[in-house]
Amino acid sequence: MRLFLVTEVDDDDEERLVWVAALAHETMYAYVANTGKFHDNNALRNDFYMDRILTYQEIGPSEARRLITQGVGTLDEVEDDEVLVEWRADPKPLDPADVLSMAAGYRS
């Protein structure tokens, strides 16, 4: 499992931290702070492999843990209410401790 910090450049040319993401067997998971879990994010997977609108910087488990603690991946409860309902009902979210543990064992 590989970890990434996902960023985007906003309209003011400022870099914004968007997600802590984990890639496992071509499935991309994003950490959603509102749920405290990693969730399968197919749109992010498509961006990673095809669109490349966002920027992906590979990071290690300790940096991922720091970013998670910092609140990266927090969504607006009102603006993002529909996707949050879906992610809260996700039957197979990944626990951050498990993801970070698997990433620590990854050898590139």
Side-chain angles (χ1 to χ4, degrees):
M1 184 161 303
R2 297 167 55 199
L3 298 170
F4 297 90
L5 170 59
V6 182
T7 59
E8 72 177 352
V9 176
D10 65 18
D11 294 337
D12 298 322
D13 288 330
E14 296 290 323
E15 186 176 69
R16 185 173 78 86
L17 308 180
V18 181
W19 300 111
V20 172
L23 179 65
H25 308 291
E26 296 189 13
T27 300
M28 184 69 81
Y29 298 90
Y31 176 77
V32 180
N34 307 64
T35 67
K37 303 285 185 184
F38 279 86
H39 300 275
D40 187 343
N41 187 323
N42 196 54
L44 192 59
R45 178 207 176 278
N46 290 344
D47 184 74
F48 181 79
Y49 283 111
M50 295 178 282
D51 303 330
R52 285 296 177 148
I53 294 168
L54 303 172
T55 302
Y56 299 80
Q57 175 189 349
E58 195 156 1
I59 58 175
S62 61
E63 178 68 1
R65 186 175 292 109
R66 185 186 71 74
L67 291 163
I68 286 169
T69 301
Q70 183 181 315
V72 173
T74 302
L75 301 178
D76 183 283
E77 289 284 341
V78 175
E79 253 184 57
D80 301 309
D81 62 332
E82 290 180 23
V83 71
L84 285 170
V85 165
E86 289 178 33
W87 279 329
R88 287 186 172 116
D90 182 356
K92 296 181 182 178
L94 301 179
D95 189 87
D98 295 337
V99 170
L100 299 178
S101 195
M102 286 184 275
Y106 174 76
R107 303 278 190 263
S108 55

